[in-house]
Amino acid sequence: MFLVLASGAAAEPDGQGSSARPAAIAGHATDLGLAHRCDRLALASKVLAATHPATPADLLSLRDFGGSNLDAAAPPGFAISPDGTHLAVQVRQAAPTSNTYCQALLVFDLDRPEARPVTITLGPQLARDTFTMYGMAGFPMGNPRPLTPAWSPDGRWLAFIQRVEDYDGLFLVPAAGGAVVPLARPPADVTDFSWADDATTLDYETNAPRLDAERRQAQEGRDGYRYDDRFWMLATTTPFVRGSFEAARVRLTLNRTGAVRTAIPMVNAAVNAGANRAWVSLDSQPAGAFRTRVHARVGSAETPCRFQTCEAAEAAWWSAPLQSVVFVRREGHASSRTALYTWRPGRQAPRRIAATDDALSGCTLAGERLVCGRERSAFPRDIISFDLQTGHGTPLVDLNPEWNAVAPARITRLRWTNRFGLPAFGDLVVPQRVAVEARLPLVVVQYETRGFLRGGTGDEYPIRAMADAGFAVLSINRPMDLGVWLARSGRPASQQDLMANWADRASVHDSLLEAIRQAAAVVPLDMSRIAVTGLSDGASTATYALIHSRVFSLALLSTCCEDPAVTTTAIGPAYEEMQRMNGYPVPWERHRDSWHEMSLAMNAEHICAEIQIQAADREARMALATVAAVRNAGVRIEMYLYPDEYHVKWQPAHRAAIYRRNLNALVAWRSRPPVACPSQRTTADLTPNAAPRPRSRPAAADAGTDGT
């Protein structure tokens, strides 16, 4: 279904006082039920000053665009018109009640910032990303695709991808509003597209070759699949196809109304090797350092930038107006800052023109400007333009003006270095009003804290809502992998120490304890009520902490757990081969002492904390052995499964339930006596390398922890 609301169309209030419902709609098709359901997608015309504490609903109703990762090289989710006067952004907003999404193209007039945008309403299905992992093609993670519209060279049309009838199709719409025209539909997903030099030619690519391979492979199931390196049992019980697949390419020619005139299959597109360009790639040495560097090709000469300021770059572009390379890099303590540079190859060192604690995502050149998504710790993603001569940043579009009605948070940036010498940083968020004598319960959220403090990695722990409910929240950034740190420092790294002895995990744990110690120096903490949360690597950090310290009395997990019998055998042969190649302690039966340092199940008798797991149904298999062992040891543990989910959960109804359950679990945990440990929890437990593994819990440890 496609709806179009022209800029400036009359609207009537919806009774909520914060958004408007379109009064007149014209387009390819109409669905007034969809229009009413997506009332809140329209930007509020007037927003009150900060008036109320943050709630899960405030976070769930945010308008998002682009990808979920903070990467300057990612597809931006927005596009600037050829004449630089308009900006189109493809937005999505969760609709938990219907468990769908409200989505639209919003077209802003940059010369008239007060004007309401043209709103082209799209369908409710979310397009989700896939990638190749361990050779398995089409691997799903649950993340939204960072869909980006494209202007025709004459500025008349917008081409875009949206998901309709379970396929990602290519569509066209007049930039001023009008009927949406389908250009490419099933039986394949459009993976990329671009305009040619005129406004009547579009090239696009599909994943048809991969889908054809999947259909052929499915015939094997009639006689039973052979269990081999095509399987990843935490995603699906049917095999993936392996290898790389060339995209199918098609060239469309359009008539003046946007309808397809011809569609011609294309061979591989030619690359203009002579064009000036800039890019970021990894240095080959030292091995294992994964150090990025800026490169440029000017004419026929390719030049790597040898200056130190060209390292740790995220993205680079060639600017024809400046005849220079423009690049974004991470720098500062633990690479916590984002900086913007220009560089003329062969002439001088790069010039830094801007630096900020904010995170930039999905940047694109527009003349002598770099336009990026921007996230600040206290504010969701907006769009900002940087002048490449002065570095001055000018906000262009605020897609969530309603957030300004949420009372501001008290946020403190913390920095520290662990005993391994690795720097790290975090953000401490505390309630606006704290009694002088109060000692706050603390919730640790992981494992990236750059950008907006929303819900941590995976977005399951509503940071601002938790703080406004009376908790101190410490959002921490994981320190660099220890092996990478050693390689960059030119120090030999023992694979035995890194893997069999879990040295990197010990480094992360030490950083976690130091972070809490830093937080305790800022605000008084209730040491008996410190909770840890985590998805994926964050969950590994949490379970390692439950084994190696007695600091935490509650763990809220999104994935679980490193039980060796499952981790080393039940995911799939491709993962097992990766473990062998990278020196993991396998087979696990020969390395029981090593796995005893990581396995919650093997330490079940020693855990003195409550545990709650909210897992994707596919990934819950990994937790079954641990849940049984921990429950049999008398530890309070609950697990909830969410159907049709992946590593990152994508369904709005599930996100709302997860937010609510985590917040309720914290409130209940705060109100009852904490799980008993052999000795009282104190700040001494936070001393680096001094927190012992808990001993067996006393017989009465479960008293008061069953929620009654």
Side-chain angles (χ1 to χ4, degrees), residues 9-39:
E12 56 184 282
D14 66 351
Q16 302 299 317
S18 61
S19 59
R21 177 168 68 250
I25 299 175
H28 179 69
T30 59
D31 180 352
L32 296 180
L34 175 64
H36 182 71
R37 176 176 61 78
C38 292
D39 280 349

mmCIF file of all heavy atoms in Angstrom, residues 9-39:
data_model
loop_
_atom_site.group_PDB
_atom_site.id
_atom_site.type_symbol
_atom_site.label_atom_id
_atom_site.label_comp_id
_atom_site.label_asym_id
_atom_site.label_seq_id
_atom_site.Cartn_x
_atom_site.Cartn_y
_atom_site.Cartn_z
ATOM 1 N N ALA A 9 -0.352 19.949 3.508
ATOM 2 C CA ALA A 9 -1.744 19.508 3.480
ATOM 3 C C ALA A 9 -2.382 19.713 4.834
ATOM 4 O O ALA A 9 -1.731 19.668 5.860
ATOM 5 C CB ALA A 9 -1.818 18.023 3.098
ATOM 6 N N ALA A 10 -3.714 19.956 4.799
ATOM 7 C CA ALA A 10 -4.427 20.162 6.047
ATOM 8 C C ALA A 10 -4.362 18.918 6.902
ATOM 9 O O ALA A 10 -4.301 17.810 6.396
ATOM 10 C CB ALA A 10 -5.880 20.524 5.756
ATOM 11 N N ALA A 11 -4.372 19.089 8.193
ATOM 12 C CA ALA A 11 -4.325 17.957 9.112
ATOM 13 C C ALA A 11 -5.240 18.238 10.270
ATOM 14 O O ALA A 11 -5.563 19.387 10.572
ATOM 15 C CB ALA A 11 -2.898 17.716 9.605
ATOM 16 N N GLU A 12 -5.673 17.159 10.910
ATOM 17 C CA GLU A 12 -6.532 17.325 12.069
ATOM 18 C C GLU A 12 -5.889 16.633 13.259
ATOM 19 O O GLU A 12 -5.167 15.654 13.097
ATOM 20 C CB GLU A 12 -7.909 16.734 11.789
ATOM 21 C CG GLU A 12 -7.891 15.279 11.369
ATOM 22 C CD GLU A 12 -9.274 14.789 11.009
ATOM 23 O OE1 GLU A 12 -10.042 14.506 11.936
ATOM 24 O OE2 GLU A 12 -9.576 14.676 9.811
ATOM 25 N N PRO A 13 -6.100 17.132 14.471
ATOM 26 C CA PRO A 13 -5.462 16.528 15.635
ATOM 27 C C PRO A 13 -5.994 15.131 15.869
ATOM 28 O O PRO A 13 -7.127 14.808 15.526
ATOM 29 C CB PRO A 13 -5.839 17.475 16.772
ATOM 30 C CG PRO A 13 -7.079 18.161 16.310
ATOM 31 C CD PRO A 13 -6.948 18.279 14.816
ATOM 32 N N ASP A 14 -5.129 14.272 16.461
ATOM 33 C CA ASP A 14 -5.534 12.900 16.724
ATOM 34 C C ASP A 14 -5.987 12.683 18.152
ATOM 35 O O ASP A 14 -6.231 11.564 18.575
ATOM 36 C CB ASP A 14 -4.391 11.933 16.405
ATOM 37 C CG ASP A 14 -3.213 12.112 17.345
ATOM 38 O OD1 ASP A 14 -3.217 13.083 18.124
ATOM 39 O OD2 ASP A 14 -2.308 11.271 17.311
ATOM 40 N N GLY A 15 -6.076 13.745 18.911
ATOM 41 C CA GLY A 15 -6.503 13.618 20.293
ATOM 42 C C GLY A 15 -5.376 13.342 21.256
ATOM 43 O O GLY A 15 -5.569 13.306 22.458
ATOM 44 N N GLN A 16 -4.140 13.126 20.709
ATOM 45 C CA GLN A 16 -3.001 12.847 21.580
ATOM 46 C C GLN A 16 -2.228 14.106 21.924
ATOM 47 O O GLN A 16 -1.402 14.103 22.814
ATOM 48 C CB GLN A 16 -2.059 11.838 20.901
ATOM 49 C CG GLN A 16 -2.730 10.509 20.543
ATOM 50 C CD GLN A 16 -3.245 9.794 21.760
ATOM 51 O OE1 GLN A 16 -2.570 9.728 22.775
ATOM 52 N NE2 GLN A 16 -4.461 9.288 21.695
ATOM 53 N N GLY A 17 -2.440 15.144 21.161
ATOM 54 C CA GLY A 17 -1.777 16.413 21.466
ATOM 55 C C GLY A 17 -0.344 16.489 21.001
ATOM 56 O O GLY A 17 0.336 17.467 21.244
ATOM 57 N N SER A 18 0.189 15.426 20.329
ATOM 58 C CA SER A 18 1.592 15.470 19.949
ATOM 59 C C SER A 18 1.829 15.146 18.489
ATOM 60 O O SER A 18 2.948 15.238 18.022
ATOM 61 C CB SER A 18 2.393 14.468 20.802
ATOM 62 O OG SER A 18 1.917 13.156 20.579
ATOM 63 N N SER A 19 0.816 14.720 17.744
ATOM 64 C CA SER A 19 1.019 14.410 16.343
ATOM 65 C C SER A 19 -0.273 14.692 15.590
ATOM 66 O O SER A 19 -1.295 15.030 16.172
ATOM 67 C CB SER A 19 1.446 12.942 16.168
ATOM 68 O OG SER A 19 0.453 12.089 16.694
ATOM 69 N N ALA A 20 -0.222 14.555 14.275
ATOM 70 C CA ALA A 20 -1.374 14.897 13.452
ATOM 71 C C ALA A 20 -1.681 13.791 12.471
ATOM 72 O O ALA A 20 -0.792 13.057 12.046
ATOM 73 C CB ALA A 20 -1.127 16.202 12.721
ATOM 74 N N ARG A 21 -2.952 13.713 12.068
ATOM 75 C CA ARG A 21 -3.405 12.728 11.107
ATOM 76 C C ARG A 21 -3.709 13.447 9.798
ATOM 77 O O ARG A 21 -4.364 14.485 9.796
ATOM 78 C CB ARG A 21 -4.658 12.033 11.649
ATOM 79 C CG ARG A 21 -5.259 11.029 10.688
ATOM 80 C CD ARG A 21 -6.319 10.156 11.361
ATOM 81 N NE ARG A 21 -7.520 10.877 11.740
ATOM 82 C CZ ARG A 21 -7.877 11.133 12.985
ATOM 83 N NH1 ARG A 21 -7.111 10.772 13.986
ATOM 84 N NH2 ARG A 21 -8.998 11.782 13.261
ATOM 85 N N PRO A 22 -3.253 12.905 8.650
ATOM 86 C CA PRO A 22 -3.538 13.575 7.387
ATOM 87 C C PRO A 22 -5.032 13.610 7.111
ATOM 88 O O PRO A 22 -5.741 12.627 7.298
ATOM 89 C CB PRO A 22 -2.784 12.720 6.352
ATOM 90 C CG PRO A 22 -2.585 11.396 7.009
ATOM 91 C CD PRO A 22 -2.459 11.684 8.473
ATOM 92 N N ALA A 23 -5.515 14.765 6.648
ATOM 93 C CA ALA A 23 -6.934 14.893 6.338
ATOM 94 C C ALA A 23 -7.231 14.522 4.895
ATOM 95 O O ALA A 23 -8.335 14.126 4.564
ATOM 96 C CB ALA A 23 -7.389 16.321 6.599
ATOM 97 N N ALA A 24 -6.251 14.669 4.010
ATOM 98 C CA ALA A 24 -6.472 14.339 2.599
ATOM 99 C C ALA A 24 -5.286 13.545 2.103
ATOM 100 O O ALA A 24 -4.146 13.943 2.295
ATOM 101 C CB ALA A 24 -6.631 15.620 1.779
ATOM 102 N N ILE A 25 -5.552 12.418 1.482
ATOM 103 C CA ILE A 25 -4.494 11.527 1.034
ATOM 104 C C ILE A 25 -4.728 11.172 -0.418
ATOM 105 O O ILE A 25 -5.846 10.880 -0.822
ATOM 106 C CB ILE A 25 -4.446 10.238 1.879
ATOM 107 C CG1 ILE A 25 -4.172 10.606 3.341
ATOM 108 C CG2 ILE A 25 -3.399 9.276 1.374
ATOM 109 C CD1 ILE A 25 -4.231 9.419 4.271
ATOM 110 N N ALA A 26 -3.652 11.180 -1.207
ATOM 111 C CA ALA A 26 -3.749 10.733 -2.588
ATOM 112 C C ALA A 26 -2.544 9.886 -2.910
ATOM 113 O O ALA A 26 -1.451 10.162 -2.434
ATOM 114 C CB ALA A 26 -3.818 11.932 -3.535
ATOM 115 N N GLY A 27 -2.709 8.846 -3.705
ATOM 116 C CA GLY A 27 -1.543 8.049 -4.035
ATOM 117 C C GLY A 27 -1.904 6.805 -4.812
ATOM 118 O O GLY A 27 -2.998 6.666 -5.346
ATOM 119 N N HIS A 28 -0.963 5.860 -4.854
ATOM 120 C CA HIS A 28 -1.134 4.619 -5.604
ATOM 121 C C HIS A 28 -2.290 3.796 -5.052
ATOM 122 O O HIS A 28 -3.034 3.158 -5.778
ATOM 123 C CB HIS A 28 0.164 3.822 -5.551
ATOM 124 C CG HIS A 28 0.098 2.518 -6.271
ATOM 125 N ND1 HIS A 28 0.005 2.436 -7.646
ATOM 126 C CD2 HIS A 28 0.090 1.239 -5.816
ATOM 127 C CE1 HIS A 28 -0.030 1.168 -7.999
ATOM 128 N NE2 HIS A 28 0.016 0.419 -6.921
ATOM 129 N N ALA A 29 -2.411 3.783 -3.714
ATOM 130 C CA ALA A 29 -3.514 3.082 -3.065
ATOM 131 C C ALA A 29 -3.748 3.749 -1.735
ATOM 132 O O ALA A 29 -2.901 4.474 -1.233
ATOM 133 C CB ALA A 29 -3.178 1.600 -2.880
ATOM 134 N N THR A 30 -4.904 3.526 -1.155
ATOM 135 C CA THR A 30 -5.190 4.129 0.134
ATOM 136 C C THR A 30 -5.490 3.061 1.153
ATOM 137 O O THR A 30 -6.050 2.021 0.846
ATOM 138 C CB THR A 30 -6.391 5.085 0.038
ATOM 139 O OG1 THR A 30 -7.525 4.350 -0.416
ATOM 140 C CG2 THR A 30 -6.096 6.232 -0.899
ATOM 141 N N ASP A 31 -5.108 3.315 2.376
ATOM 142 C CA ASP A 31 -5.354 2.419 3.498
ATOM 143 C C ASP A 31 -5.490 3.303 4.717
ATOM 144 O O ASP A 31 -4.520 3.630 5.377
ATOM 145 C CB ASP A 31 -4.194 1.427 3.656
ATOM 146 C CG ASP A 31 -4.398 0.469 4.816
ATOM 147 O OD1 ASP A 31 -5.363 0.666 5.580
ATOM 148 O OD2 ASP A 31 -3.588 -0.464 4.954
ATOM 149 N N LEU A 32 -6.725 3.751 4.994
ATOM 150 C CA LEU A 32 -6.926 4.687 6.096
ATOM 151 C C LEU A 32 -6.593 4.057 7.434
ATOM 152 O O LEU A 32 -6.208 4.742 8.375
ATOM 153 C CB LEU A 32 -8.362 5.207 6.068
ATOM 154 C CG LEU A 32 -8.726 6.041 4.830
ATOM 155 C CD1 LEU A 32 -10.169 6.502 4.911
ATOM 156 C CD2 LEU A 32 -7.792 7.222 4.686
ATOM 157 N N GLY A 33 -6.719 2.692 7.511
ATOM 158 C CA GLY A 33 -6.303 2.022 8.737
ATOM 159 C C GLY A 33 -4.820 2.199 8.969
ATOM 160 O O GLY A 33 -4.371 2.491 10.074
ATOM 161 N N LEU A 34 -4.024 2.041 7.896
ATOM 162 C CA LEU A 34 -2.587 2.257 7.991
ATOM 163 C C LEU A 34 -2.286 3.704 8.344
ATOM 164 O O LEU A 34 -1.440 3.998 9.182
ATOM 165 C CB LEU A 34 -1.914 1.886 6.668
ATOM 166 C CG LEU A 34 -0.406 2.160 6.552
ATOM 167 C CD1 LEU A 34 0.362 1.317 7.546
ATOM 168 C CD2 LEU A 34 0.079 1.879 5.141
ATOM 169 N N ALA A 35 -3.006 4.641 7.713
ATOM 170 C CA ALA A 35 -2.767 6.054 7.989
ATOM 171 C C ALA A 35 -3.028 6.376 9.455
ATOM 172 O O ALA A 35 -2.258 7.078 10.094
ATOM 173 C CB ALA A 35 -3.656 6.908 7.086
ATOM 174 N N HIS A 36 -4.137 5.862 9.994
ATOM 175 C CA HIS A 36 -4.459 6.137 11.392
ATOM 176 C C HIS A 36 -3.452 5.475 12.322
ATOM 177 O O HIS A 36 -3.022 6.060 13.318
ATOM 178 C CB HIS A 36 -5.872 5.661 11.704
ATOM 179 C CG HIS A 36 -6.283 5.957 13.115
ATOM 180 N ND1 HIS A 36 -6.537 7.244 13.551
ATOM 181 C CD2 HIS A 36 -6.457 5.144 14.185
ATOM 182 C CE1 HIS A 36 -6.851 7.211 14.832
ATOM 183 N NE2 HIS A 36 -6.816 5.949 15.240
ATOM 184 N N ARG A 37 -3.046 4.224 11.985
ATOM 185 C CA ARG A 37 -2.073 3.520 12.821
ATOM 186 C C ARG A 37 -0.751 4.274 12.859
ATOM 187 O O ARG A 37 -0.024 4.205 13.854
ATOM 188 C CB ARG A 37 -1.876 2.109 12.266
ATOM 189 C CG ARG A 37 -0.824 1.294 12.993
ATOM 190 C CD ARG A 37 -0.763 -0.127 12.446
ATOM 191 N NE ARG A 37 -0.406 -0.180 11.039
ATOM 192 C CZ ARG A 37 0.833 -0.040 10.579
ATOM 193 N NH1 ARG A 37 1.821 0.196 11.413
ATOM 194 N NH2 ARG A 37 1.084 -0.116 9.291
ATOM 195 N N CYS A 38 -0.431 4.969 11.794
ATOM 196 C CA CYS A 38 0.864 5.645 11.694
ATOM 197 C C CYS A 38 0.749 7.150 11.931
ATOM 198 O O CYS A 38 1.550 7.931 11.409
ATOM 199 C CB CYS A 38 1.498 5.353 10.331
ATOM 200 S SG CYS A 38 1.982 3.623 10.138
ATOM 201 N N ASP A 39 -0.261 7.552 12.701
ATOM 202 C CA ASP A 39 -0.414 8.967 13.040
ATOM 203 C C ASP A 39 0.883 9.574 13.556
ATOM 204 O O ASP A 39 1.259 10.690 13.205
ATOM 205 C CB ASP A 39 -1.483 9.136 14.128
ATOM 206 C CG ASP A 39 -2.892 9.076 13.558
ATOM 207 O OD1 ASP A 39 -3.025 9.106 12.327
ATOM 208 O OD2 ASP A 39 -3.843 8.995 14.345
#
